[in-house]
Amino acid sequence: MLNPSQDIDHGTPRRESTEEVTLEIDGMPVTVAKGTSLMRAAVDAGVQVPKLCATDSLEPFGSCRLCLVEIDGRKGYPASCTTPAEAGMKVRTQSPKLQELRKGVMELYISDHPLDCLTCAANGDCELQDMAGVTGLRNVRYGYDGANHLKSAKDESNPYFTYDPAKCIVCNRCVRACEETQGTFALTISGRGFESRVSPGQDQPFMESECVSCGACVQACPTATLQEKSVIWLGQAEHSAITTCAYCGVGCGFKAEMKGNEVVRMVPWKDGKANEGHSCVKGRFAWGYATHKDRVLKPMIRRRITDPWQEVSWEEAVNYAASEFRRIQGKYGTDSIGGLVSSRCTNEEGYLVQKLVRAAFGNNNVDTCARVCHSPTGYGLKQTMGESAGTQTFKSVEKSDVVMVIGANPSDGHPVFASRMKRRLRAGARLIVIDPRTIDLVKSPHVKADHHLKLKPGTNVAVISAMAHVIVTEGLVDETFVAERCEPKSFNAWREFVARPANSPEAMEAVTGVPATELRAAARLFALGHDGKRNAAIYYGLGVTEHSQGSTMVMGIANLAMATGNVGREGVGVNPLRGQNNVQGSCDMGSFPHELPGYRHVSDSTARGSFESAWGVELRPDPGLRIPNMFDAAITGSFKGLYCEGEDVVQSDPNTQHVAEALMAMECIVVQDLFLNETAKYAHVFLPGASFLEKDGTFTNAERRISRVTKVMPPKAGYADWEVTQLLSNALGYPMNYASAEEIMNEIAALTPTFTGVSYAKLAKLGSVQWPCNEAAPEGTPTMHVGEFVRGKGKFIITQYVPTDEKVTRMYPLILTTGRILSQYNVGAQTRRTENNQWHSEDRLEIHPNDAEDRGIAEGDWVGIRSRAGETVLRATITERVQPGVVYTTFHFPESGANVITTDNSDWATNCPEFKVTAVQVMPVMQPSEWQQEYSRFNALQEELLNRRIEETAATK
């Protein structure tokens, strides 16, 4: 376990400068960067200046008057937090006069503050309490007879923290954190003078305000005014450990603060490179699922999926699964079974699953949920630049002059990165949003997009080609960069292609729905930059990849970045915003059927030979089955067994009925997970999984950052996930004998060129590293493709727009697209088991007022959504966030059946499903109670069909 040292608060942020100044503080010389505050300089000299309103995550404010100092030759007592250090200064932080002033200030604070320290939840973690001791305050001359705030009512509306205005000292830290760190601007100071108090909006309860519950205000509060309810209930933690959040691909570092094996709170780690002390509502507060009553903690088996589950020992469950897999292979052949691994699993767990499939199953039938989200990223970036990953750090956006966001909603999907991006936009960077929906970034507090290209779903490639047309035909190509860094033949062919009149914004306007003038202006802004600065960065998400031309679009994005020279330095680049915590890592670990760890093809005899030597087994050179191929093969009768670790394909994959039919056709499905999810309804063996709090290992985030995941409590079911995979492998006759997750990482490093320098010792020393990490880059690679591309010369690829097969018709006149919401995560298995449901308790269908009026739909009505694949029912939200002809929903609740209606159309190169384009019809339906009756009848018919299929299968054995 990593035991972090006590964090030192320097009071004000670090200043970057090549110029230094030397001064004297309390007789000690100290040299600091120009612009550094006296307070921070004092801390660098080992002197802590008393403070309450200052903290090093926020800009100095100078309101508390505790940090006063004396400076030789100057009158008065300036605040050290707002006074910059100057060469030759002589500063005193302690003197009788300063002591008198500070004690007087503290006395005023305490005169209107409850003296309930012994019973206060912040006792032992209260800066006001600490400062009373530091200043030597021993009595208060002012009584409580006059006006005070001691009887102010608490706001306990938020499920995760309380607001007690009686304890507020109006230091403004929470307000500043909401503005500077989060960028929501939800808090303000209401009233004047003595009446001043923190207020969420217009004196609303927190839950009715614009607050997004990121926790920045709670973290910043120096008293018990804003306090986690978990701390109020459990008391102060007695130890902590550094770990990594198990939600989105930002990969925030956290301190898990513990009492024994119980989590008291999760505090964002200020040294976490991905988040730098910030968090969102999920990582900060939504960790209670790890101890939820729904957790399954005993292995279970059943012969038929209509039988009840029977609890058994680990040995019996593992041996049964192994015997069934061997029986199936004996009857149907070696290729009749396979494995799936989730992007929620660690690198070490994913590595072991693909090793199990290749070495113990004897085939390459392994795939990962990255197939259904970012597989086009891997393919498209590999083809153009030579590496299947993003190019930058998240911090790189702080040097961007133009930011282009395509098919992503960072405010909801990657909120901590969104806060960083918004800071840069508020500082003057320009913004282009390409999205069919009006996401928050288009217009939010102090942020407004310069251009919103509100395209029709499915026309991404047409838009990117039209932008390229403008850049080529208007002479905006960075000719020097292209000549030095890219293949001339491929560039010339691409230049000729995009310059064709058919690719002009005017020609494409009817296809994309984007006005040609707006598209031209956006293209010019991207290519020319802002105020003479040309750093332009592209960030994209599933709105790019989950299309029939997902891979084509990724290549189009790479083309645009290369043509404008926006690769290979800070502030630029091609940056996929990965959806789940370890999407990047699951791909890195060889979880695709055609690639070994490190993105080396299974047909590569040299790469394959290194694994054969290490694993002591001959490996197959032919690619295995992808997820869709497994399902098709199951329906045709040749694929009969599946080991599924951490993945819920029934809820997350498209065309749910097709997935269910495939699973029903299998003879042994082993699900390893925390909960009995939708896929487990079709399973024959259930092996309990471990939450991230019970794991040792690593995650790799969207910026290729490898970070430690630290076990803070024992696995509740007895085994970590990698240990379960090892047990299954041993039962199958292929021995694995790892003693720890660290041993697995050592093997990964020994066999994977981009990981050769990775070790737990290095991660403990540096906090995290970004691959490639090897002899050429012993401390990792923050920015990719510096000087030259990984493949040598960048390759331009022609991106011909091909309309999707999914067409609107009179029967299906609307296009459905899908996405995420802030409070919920992916299929919702984790967040639905937390208080996050108070923000979002059901998936809803967003529909434009015009389309709603045409169909007689009112706000909150139940509507039926029918596609070529199926139908479901949701409640309607009428909003202009979607354009006419487009409807939108999230997919966090299984009962919503969002993927019942998505089709099995997919990307031409990778089979990534086309979740973002489904032709549908939407109409009002019966009341929910009547619908539930219909739904029950439907379920009964499904069960009857299932039993009949099982009986038919049994009869053929």
Side-chain angles (χ1 to χ4, degrees):
M1 180 180 293
L2 294 172
N3 288 307
S5 59
Q6 181 70 31
D7 287 336
I8 296 175
D9 191 334
H10 289 76
T12 62
R14 179 189 299 276
R15 300 304 183 199
E16 302 292 340
S17 175
T18 56
E19 189 176 343
E20 293 184 331
V21 295
T22 299
L23 65 158
E24 189 178 284
I25 297 179
D26 292 343
M28 294 178 290
V30 57
T31 300
V32 295
K34 186 177 181 180
T36 299
S37 70
L38 289 180
M39 178 179 285
R40 190 174 185 108
V43 175
D44 286 348
V47 176
Q48 287 286 345
V49 182
K51 65 185 187 304
L52 277 173
C53 72
T55 182
D56 57 14
S57 64
L58 302 172
E59 290 299 317
F61 193 60
S63 70
C64 76
R65 314 312 294 170
L66 275 185
C67 71
L68 308 179
V69 294
E70 296 175 338
I71 305 174
D72 283 1
R74 294 196 184 185
K75 294 181 179 181
Y77 305 92
S80 62
C81 64
T82 56
T83 304
E86 296 178 12
M89 269 185 171
K90 292 187 178 182
V91 180
R92 285 182 300 281
T93 68
Q94 300 294 332
S95 74
K97 185 59 178 178
L98 290 172
Q99 182 73 2
E100 178 187 353
L101 291 170
R102 290 168 181 162
K103 188 180 293 187
V105 169
M106 278 303 304
E107 189 175 6
L108 291 171
Y109 277 122
I110 297 302
S111 69
D112 190 21
H113 196 85
L115 298 179
D116 59 351
C117 292
L118 289 178
T119 57
C120 179
N123 186 16
D125 185 30
C126 174
E127 294 179 47
L128 186 67
Q129 188 180 57
D130 294 341
M131 290 304 105
V134 167
T135 59
L137 184 66
R138 297 294 176 258
N139 58 73
V140 179
R141 292 168 290 172
Y142 316 111
Y144 290 149
D145 294 337
N148 60 59
H149 300 88
L150 301 182
K151 294 184 179 179
S152 300
K154 290 183 181 180
D155 177 0
E156 301 195 73
S157 61
N158 190 286
Y160 294 122
F161 60 84
T162 65
Y163 169 54
D164 185 355
K167 297 183 176 179
C168 180
I169 61 172
V170 201
C171 65
N172 234 286
R173 272 165 57 165
C174 59
V175 177
R176 290 148 57 207
C178 190
E179 295 175 357
E180 296 176 25
T181 305
Q182 169 58 27
T184 298
F185 295 82
L187 301 181
T188 187
I189 300 293
S190 64
R192 308 181 90 180
F194 179 78
E195 299 302 326
S196 298
R197 274 297 178 269
V198 171
S199 173
Q202 299 300 313
D203 292 317
Q204 303 165 297
F206 267 85
M207 282 298 280
E208 295 177 16
S209 72
E210 297 298 314
C211 170
V212 294
S213 297
C214 68
C217 60
V218 181
Q219 181 72 3
C221 182
T223 70
T225 306
L226 289 159
Q227 183 71 72
E228 298 95 334
K229 290 182 176 179
S230 58
V231 174
I232 294 172
W233 177 250
L234 296 171
Q236 295 296 327
E238 46 87 7
H239 71 276
S240 65
I242 299 300
T243 192
T244 303
C245 181
Y247 280 116
C248 78
V250 174
C252 295
F254 275 87
K255 278 200 304 184
E257 296 195 349
M258 310 289 298
K259 290 181 75 171
N261 293 328
E262 188 167 26
V263 178
V264 174
R265 64 180 175 181
M266 298 291 288
V267 178
W269 186 31
K270 65 187 295 182
D271 290 329
K273 299 298 191 299
N275 59 317
E276 295 185 331
H278 191 34
S279 60
C280 77
V281 63
K282 294 189 286 290
R284 182 70 157 89
F285 297 117
W287 38 265
Y289 69 89
T291 54
H292 195 274
K293 60 182 176 59
D294 288 352
R295 282 281 299 269
V296 179
L297 303 178
K298 299 288 186 183
M300 301 186 296
I301 63 174
R302 56 184 177 180
R303 304 289 171 178
R304 305 195 313 172
I305 63 175
T306 52
D307 294 340
W309 285 108
Q310 299 292 320
E311 287 188 1
V312 296
S313 67
W314 274 103
E315 183 180 17
E316 184 176 350
V318 170
N319 286 339
Y320 178 75
S323 65
E324 280 293 280
F325 283 154
R326 285 305 184 218
R327 177 188 66 78
I328 289 170
Q329 286 188 306
K331 182 175 181 179
Y332 300 101
T334 303
D335 293 332
S336 59
I337 65 174
L340 301 180
V341 63
S342 171
S343 295
R344 291 185 294 149
C345 298
T346 64
N347 288 318
E348 293 78 2
E349 291 159 359
Y351 176 84
L352 238 57
V353 170
Q354 63 87 32
K355 180 177 180 178
L356 170 85
V357 171
R358 293 190 161 103
F361 288 6
N363 59 48
N364 286 314
N365 294 338
V366 62
D367 212 346
T368 173
C369 60
R371 170 72 56 208
V372 300
C373 60
H374 267 285
S375 50
T377 285
Y379 182 85
L381 296 184
K382 186 80 169 179
Q383 297 300 309
T384 51
M385 299 182 180
E387 195 57 271
S388 302
T391 62
Q392 314 293 128
T393 65
F394 288 134
K395 193 174 180 65
S396 170
V397 76
E398 296 174 4
K399 296 188 177 180
S400 298
D401 305 302
V402 177
V403 177
M404 184 153 67
V405 177
I406 311 176
N409 185 3
S411 299
D412 282 2
H414 304 83
V416 172
F417 170 69
S419 295
R420 193 192 291 266
M421 179 191 290
K422 289 176 184 177
R423 285 198 298 273
R424 179 62 193 134
L425 295 172
R426 292 197 299 272
R430 307 286 289 275
L431 175 64
I432 302 165
V433 173
I434 303 178
D435 201 289
R437 188 166 166 263
T438 304
I439 61 173
D440 289 343
L441 277 178
V442 172
K443 188 175 183 181
S444 58
H446 302 275
V447 170
K448 186 177 186 298
D450 294 270
H451 303 286
H452 178 200
L453 308 188
K454 205 167 186 178
L455 75 171
K456 296 176 183 177
T459 63
N460 287 347
V461 173
V463 166
I464 209 73
S465 293
M467 292 187 76
H469 175 92
V470 175
I471 289 167
V472 165
T473 58
E474 295 189 9
L476 305 180
V477 171
D478 187 335
E479 300 287 356
T480 302
F481 180 92
V482 170
E484 292 176 354
R485 300 280 307 271
C486 302
E487 292 180 354
K489 183 178 180 181
S490 68
F491 171 71
N492 290 332
W494 174 80
R495 185 205 291 266
E496 187 278 327
F497 165 74
V498 296
R500 295 173 186 173
N503 287 318
S504 70
E506 290 74 19
M508 286 296 186
E509 184 171 331
V511 173
T512 65
V514 178
T517 53
E518 185 75 5
L519 192 147
R520 283 187 177 275
R524 291 167 186 147
L525 175 60
F526 181 80
L528 293 173
H530 173 51
D531 288 343
K533 300 174 182 177
R534 291 174 58 103
N535 275 3
I538 302 174
Y539 294 87
Y540 70 89
L542 303 186
V544 161
T545 57
E546 290 181 342
H547 287 273
S548 60
Q549 282 198 287
S551 293
T552 309
M553 181 60 177
V554 172
M555 292 186 289
I557 289 171
N559 290 341
L560 205 65
M562 292 188 295
T564 54
N566 282 303
V567 185
R569 63 184 184 277
E570 288 190 293
V572 300
V574 177
N575 306 282
L577 295 174
R578 306 279 190 166
Q580 295 193 67
N581 54 295
N582 204 34
V583 172
Q584 184 66 60
S586 67
C587 301
D588 299 341
M589 293 299 102
S591 298
F592 286 134
H594 66 292
E595 286 177 334
L596 296 163
Y599 303 99
R600 290 163 293 169
H601 202 277
V602 293
S603 64
D604 181 339
S605 58
T606 302
R608 198 173 65 253
S610 67
F611 286 94
E612 289 175 336
S613 176
W615 294 353
V617 64
E618 186 175 344
L619 301 179
R620 295 268 291 273
D622 54 317
L625 299 176
R626 297 172 173 177
I627 293 174
N629 306 137
M630 293 181 194
F631 294 158
D632 292 342
I635 291 171
T636 58
S638 61
F639 190 84
K640 293 292 185 179
L642 184 66
Y643 173 48
C644 185
E645 182 181 78
E647 179 65 355
D648 188 2
V649 291
V650 172
Q651 190 179 343
S652 64
D653 282 36
N655 197 345
T656 302
Q657 295 180 25
H658 179 74
V659 175
E661 183 182 4
L663 297 182
M664 285 190 289
M666 296 186 200
E667 295 182 9
C668 182
I669 295 175
V670 178
V671 167
Q672 184 176 330
D673 216 311
L674 302 178
F675 308 104
L676 282 171
N677 56 26
E678 297 301 297
T679 302
K681 293 178 179 178
Y682 302 89
H684 305 85
V685 180
F686 186 88
L687 303 176
S691 74
F692 81 110
L693 296 171
E694 302 153 54
K695 295 177 185 286
D696 267 321
T698 56
F699 292 150
T700 306
N701 74 351
E703 50 175 3
R704 297 171 283 105
R705 186 179 302 283
I706 307 161
S707 301
R708 283 282 277 118
V709 183
T710 305
K711 182 170 65 177
V712 299
M713 61 175 68
K716 291 188 170 298
Y719 289 104
D721 286 334
W722 68 265
E723 292 177 303
V724 176
T725 303
Q726 179 166 280
L727 288 172
L728 181 57
S729 185
N730 290 339
L732 285 163
Y734 179 77
M736 292 187 188
N737 297 296
Y738 302 100
S740 66
E742 184 173 12
E743 286 189 9
I744 303 171
M745 177 51 73
N746 291 341
E747 181 173 307
I748 294 167
L751 294 171
T752 311
T754 50
F755 275 66
T756 55
V758 178
S759 68
Y760 282 14
K762 181 173 289 185
L763 295 177
K765 178 183 177 182
L766 300 179
S768 62
V769 297
Q770 292 172 266
W771 66 258
C773 179
N774 46 33
E775 288 184 2
E779 295 192 355
T781 308
T783 304
M784 294 283 286
H785 312 298
V786 176
E788 67 174 357
F789 289 98
V790 171
R791 71 183 306 278
K793 296 286 188 178
K795 183 177 182 179
F796 286 81
I797 297 179
I798 290 174
T799 54
Q800 176 67 54
Y801 168 64
V802 178
T804 172
D805 291 338
E806 186 71 359
K807 303 289 196 302
V808 294
T809 63
R810 290 180 62 186
M811 184 174 292
Y812 304 108
L814 304 174
I815 289 292
L816 169 72
T817 189
T818 62
R820 292 182 167 94
I821 200 163
L822 172 64
S823 59
Q824 296 290 349
Y825 172 69
N826 213 42
V827 299
Q830 295 148 278
T831 44
R832 283 187 284 108
R833 292 176 170 89
T834 71
E835 295 298 330
N836 282 27
N837 285 345
Q838 292 195 31
W839 287 278
H840 187 77
S841 59
E842 62 178 348
D843 293 319
R844 286 204 171 205
L845 186 79
E846 292 186 3
I847 185 169
H848 190 273
N850 294 353
D851 295 323
E853 183 179 6
D854 289 346
R855 292 160 173 78
I857 296 169
E859 178 71 23
D861 280 356
W862 289 89
V863 295
I865 308 103
R866 179 184 293 113
S867 74
R868 295 176 177 90
E871 59 186 76
T872 191
V873 172
L874 296 172
R875 284 204 289 172
T877 293
I878 299 174
T879 175
E880 292 188 355
R881 286 169 69 92
V882 292
Q883 56 186 288
V886 176
V887 291
Y888 169 90
T889 190
T890 50
F891 50 87
H892 304 301
F893 291 80
E895 56 268 25
S896 72
N899 283 333
V900 169
I901 52 179
T902 52
T903 69
D904 54 8
N905 293 341
S906 64
D907 173 51
W908 62 271
T910 67
N911 284 132
C912 182
E914 192 174 39
F915 284 127
K916 304 306 181 191
V917 183
T918 303
V920 299
Q921 178 59 288
V922 176
M923 296 299 290
V925 297
M926 60 190 76
Q927 292 300 310
S929 58
E930 299 174 47
W931 161 251
Q932 289 299 332
Q933 294 174 13
E934 290 295 321
Y935 189 68
S936 297
R937 282 195 286 271
F938 171 76
N939 279 342
L941 289 172
Q942 287 288 94
E943 187 170 342
E944 181 181 341
L945 174 64
L946 175 60
N947 288 331
R948 192 180 308 149
R949 183 178 294 277
I950 290 170
E951 290 167 2
E952 291 170 355
T953 302
T956 60
K957 287 186 180 179

